[in-house]
Amino acid sequence: MAHRIALRAQHPRSIWLTVLPMLLTVLLVAVWAEGQDYYELLGVSREATTKEIRRAFKQLALTMHPDKNPGDPSAHEKFLQVNRAYEVLKDEDLRKKYDKYGEKGLDEQQGGRYESWNYYRYDFEAAVNSGEIWFINFYFPRCSHCHQLAPTWRDFAKEMDGVIRIGAVNCGDNNHLCRRKGINSYPSLYIYRSGQRPEKFNGERNRDNLVRFSMQFITTTITQLWQGNVFSEIESAFSSGLSWLITFCSDSGGNTCAQSAFFCISIGCLADLSVVFQVTSGATALFPPGSALNKPGSVLWLNTLDSKEIYNQVINHLPDLELLTSDSFQSKLAHHRWLISFTFGNKNSASNEYKKLQAFLRNDHIQVGRVDCIADSELCQSLYIHKPCMAVFKGLGIHDFEIHHGKDVLYNIVGFARDSVRAFVTTLGPDNFPSDRKEPWLVDFFAPWCPPCRALLPELRKASIQLAGQMKFGTLDCTIHHNLCSRYNIQAYPTTVIFNGSSVHEYEGHHSADGILEFIQLKSNIVVCFSAAGRDEGQIWAVDFYAPWCGPCQALMPEWRRMARLLSGQILVGSVDCQRFQSFCQSQSVRAYPEIRLYPGNSRQPDRYTYNGWHRDAHSLRTWALSFLPRASVDLTPETFRSLVLSGRDHWVLDFYAPWCGPCQHFAPEFEVLARMLKGEVRAGKVDCQAHHQTCQLAGITAYPTVRFYPYLGKKRHEQSGEHINSRDANVIADTVRQRLQQLLPRLHNKPKVSAG
């Protein structure tokens, strides 16, 4: 069930205080009562119980609330100080810290090292694709600016707790992730929203600027209620399954409601509603769908001003997930995708949080339900489910499902559900184990308690998407299916095996999607055997001549396989075993191993080129091979930039670079790959910012390389209208450009086809 929020008015300075996300996340007001003793503020002794503290606060709230003191300009500040004192003293852990260290102790967080701060412990991809807003700090442990930012970032994280999610990535430990995300300086701060491009923070790194920047991405549905529309608005929301959370306020306080961080409607304006419910001031109520406005008993009244208590009461009042039984389970799951919570009697602490899942997954067309394994023990036993878990059923029957083995937190479950319905990974058991299947299967034998096993599971999902239709993927939990694992002599976790008819291959390599793809390509003979008869005119081949006994050849092989995958669809990659085909290698004048050659397949070029570089890693070899392909991008001068890009009628993606820039040189072949990928859709151009400094300056270019997308929208563009794309990966850039074109589609009906130049 989602929630609608009513609001009378907002003061400009209090916009960031009045955000109440639709999923009931409430911002706690964090104002310090400087120099004031918290016990004295509440009028209680240091031995007071939590109940006495709560009673004292409620009594003070009745007299100190700004609504009761409209003529006192300091009433709001005094009330916030009392509220802060209550927030601390009612929390057992915070109260202990306050008693021992005072306010200073509350400001010191556990963990002296920057890297160990507890806000930073999360899975990156699951987090940023969960639907929540994340503000990520990419840092490096030896970066002095990162350490200077650390205390500010901690304060900011506390202040934004409950509004957005705060995280960080240690680029020292996660270099590959940071490179893939285009991080080239530290600290780099980015806002991530699911399905949208990241937004970089470029201002001065202080708390106020960070708050101001992050709050611009918070959106909520705000409806101004008044006497003439309140009943129609509420009934309209009810018909859509939405609830209303309304705080009734008096007219007298100006923007009192906004200052209190509640959304409110005025009793003075809504006399009819206030008479029905006999409201006088400061009351908050939840109107669930189906509640009758003329029947006060159907409304939940929240007799508290504490935001956490409001949240807990509302979330407790929401209906539980739909209960599926053995009678309805098969029919419900036959044609729809479901995320199912399997429970065993008593609800765990996360059960209430699960109520939000339906709202998070509504746009993904994933329904959410639960199964009580105590009441339906036979159903759970047939699925080999013996403990509480979450599982995604993919709409193809009750045996096509995948169990979640990640963290039991909302964003992780949401990310898993979205990934799982797109992927092709099945939880296996004795009934569906593929030991005698004709089609190839990759089976991951694992144990849920094993950290490398849990890390491999999302990689399997990525690989299954890449190999859809070519290979099926399954996982087998060896803590449940001991006999099956023993039959295949599984002695370590994870163990990954490919079953292909009568042949069985155990995977050896990195536990990553890339490593799995390379291994499967090798077993599928994607790296082909090159022969003299295997070359046609116009085909470009990269060939590794090797000998099986040669140590450097063996070291090169995994990099060569990786390069073959990176060049797929662009250059043919082969290898020749010179021990097996000795006469052929002699005819090609091969005298040392390994020898790497490129055959251009063009009679106007030399017959072959030999690689003489120092580095034999996949990326260096790929760059070398791509340099022989004809260019797909064009060089732009100031004149052609103005005539073709700004005044032209084509979409353009541009690489602004400098010849002396090392990252630019590294990116150059990648940009050519991008140009070929987008050919016919978007033109690709390069601007030399050393030769054409003024053009780059007018375009607002401050770093190299910079990738900008200039879509044609039917009118002339200006220099800085290009959209920045923060990536140096051709696939990521191409996906971003195509997604942007899809978003602009309604405005592009009159757009002519891209010219071939």
Side-chain angles (χ1 to χ4, degrees), residues 345-364:
N346 295 332
K347 295 182 180 180
N348 58 35
S349 58
S351 296
N352 275 341
E353 293 295 302
Y354 290 168
K355 295 177 181 180
K356 301 186 208 172
L357 288 168
Q358 188 68 69
F360 273 115
L361 297 171
R362 182 176 290 111
N363 292 336
D364 301 283

Side-chain angles (χ1 to χ4, degrees), residues 695-717:
T695 299
C696 296
Q697 193 174 41
L698 290 172
I701 305 303
T702 58
Y704 311 121
T706 292
V707 179
R708 290 269 182 90
F709 175 49
Y710 289 82
Y712 175 63
L713 301 176
K715 59 182 180 180
K716 185 175 180 180
R717 292 160 281 200

Side-chain angles (χ1 to χ4, degrees), residues 208-491:
D208 289 343
N209 285 343
L210 292 171
V211 169
R212 193 176 300 111
F213 174 76
S214 56
M215 290 307 299
Q216 67 181 308
F217 302 102
I218 305 294
T219 57
T220 187
T221 303
I222 300 175
T223 304
Q224 187 172 10
L225 295 180
W226 55 288
Q227 188 172 2
N229 76 343
V230 60
F231 292 100
S232 62
E233 286 289 344
I234 290 178
E235 291 297 343
S236 174
F238 286 174
S239 66
S240 301
L242 300 176
S243 299
W244 281 88
L245 182 64
I246 302 177
T247 296
F248 298 84
C249 304
S250 65
D251 280 340
S252 55
N255 64 332
T256 316
C257 302
Q259 292 172 344
S260 301
F262 293 121
F263 291 92
C264 56
I265 57 179
S266 170
I267 291 172
C269 296
L270 296 171
D272 293 344
L273 197 57
S274 64
V275 169
V276 170
F277 294 106
Q278 299 180 347
V279 178
T280 55
S281 177
T284 302
L286 174 69
F287 295 77
S291 58
L293 298 182
N294 59 355
K295 294 181 180 179
S298 61
V299 175
L300 174 67
W301 292 96
L302 309 171
N303 300 315
T304 178
L305 294 175
D306 179 79
S307 55
K308 280 189 174 179
E309 290 183 11
I310 290 176
Y311 172 83
N312 289 331
Q313 288 188 40
V314 171
I315 203 76
N316 284 330
H317 193 72
L318 295 180
D320 209 338
L321 301 179
E322 180 181 350
L323 178 64
L324 305 184
T325 66
S326 54
D327 295 330
S328 62
F329 191 76
Q330 188 160 350
S331 60
K332 288 274 189 180
L333 272 59
H335 304 293
H336 297 283
R337 304 186 298 186
W338 283 79
L339 173 64
I340 303 294
S341 170
F342 291 90
T343 61
F344 286 76
N346 295 332
K347 295 182 180 180
N348 58 35
S349 58
S351 296
N352 275 341
E353 293 295 302
Y354 290 168
K355 295 177 181 180
K356 301 186 208 172
L357 288 168
Q358 188 68 69
F360 273 115
L361 297 171
R362 182 176 290 111
N363 292 336
D364 301 283
H365 307 289
I366 301 173
Q367 301 186 55
V368 185
R370 63 188 175 94
V371 170
D372 184 348
C373 289
I374 299 297
D376 278 305
S377 58
E378 288 187 10
L379 171 61
C380 296
Q381 288 173 9
S382 70
L383 299 171
Y384 297 94
I385 291 176
H386 305 295
K387 59 183 179 180
C389 67
M390 303 291 291
V392 166
F393 289 78
K394 307 186 182 187
L396 299 174
I398 63 172
H399 293 293
D400 186 11
F401 69 96
E402 184 182 4
I403 294 176
H404 173 58
H405 293 287
K407 298 175 184 176
D408 190 21
V409 293
L410 212 62
Y411 74 79
N412 202 287
I413 294 170
V414 170
F416 161 75
R418 288 175 173 157
D419 288 345
S420 183
V421 295
R422 293 188 302 110
F424 303 92
V425 178
T426 301
T427 294
L428 298 174
D431 301 331
N432 61 347
F433 191 83
S435 55
D436 56 353
R437 305 284 180 88
K438 292 183 178 180
E439 67 270 25
W441 274 79
L442 181 145
V443 178
D444 174 38
F445 297 85
F446 77 104
W449 49 259
C450 154
C453 301
R454 293 197 300 268
L456 176 59
L457 294 175
E459 298 299 313
L460 289 176
R461 288 193 283 273
K462 294 176 189 175
S464 75
I465 294 171
Q466 294 285 330
L467 293 169
Q470 302 176 50
M471 178 166 291
K472 296 188 176 183
F473 285 68
T475 60
L476 187 77
D477 184 347
C478 289
T479 64
I480 297 174
H481 305 292
H482 314 278
N483 293 337
L484 266 176
C485 295
S486 297
R487 183 190 307 172
Y488 292 99
N489 196 30
I490 305 302
Q491 299 178 345

Side-chain angles (χ1 to χ4, degrees), residues 490-563:
I490 305 302
Q491 299 178 345
Y493 307 125
T495 294
T496 306
V497 177
I498 294 176
F499 294 86
N500 190 1
S502 59
S503 62
V504 178
H505 305 280
E506 183 174 337
Y507 170 66
E508 297 175 359
H510 296 293
H511 291 152
S512 66
D514 286 348
I516 292 168
L517 290 170
E518 290 157 13
F519 180 79
I520 291 173
Q521 285 171 350
L522 174 65
K523 295 303 177 185
S524 303
N525 295 319
I526 290 178
V527 176
V528 298
C529 181
F530 175 83
S531 69
R535 282 197 294 146
D536 296 329
E537 179 67 23
Q539 288 184 337
I540 302 176
W541 278 84
V543 182
D544 167 33
F545 294 90
Y546 72 98
W549 47 260
C550 157
C553 301
Q554 296 170 10
L556 172 64
M557 189 57 69
E559 296 298 322
W560 192 252
R561 291 199 299 265
R562 189 171 296 117
M563 186 197 74

Side-chain angles (χ1 to χ4, degrees), residues 63 84 106 262 349:
T63 58
R84 175 58 184 167
L106 296 172
F262 293 121
S349 58

Side-chain angles (χ1 to χ4, degrees), residues 176-190:
H176 180 70
L177 171 63
C178 295
R179 282 177 53 193
R180 186 156 45 89
K181 298 300 175 183
I183 305 303
N184 48 35
S185 62
Y186 309 111
S188 287
L189 311 179
Y190 282 90

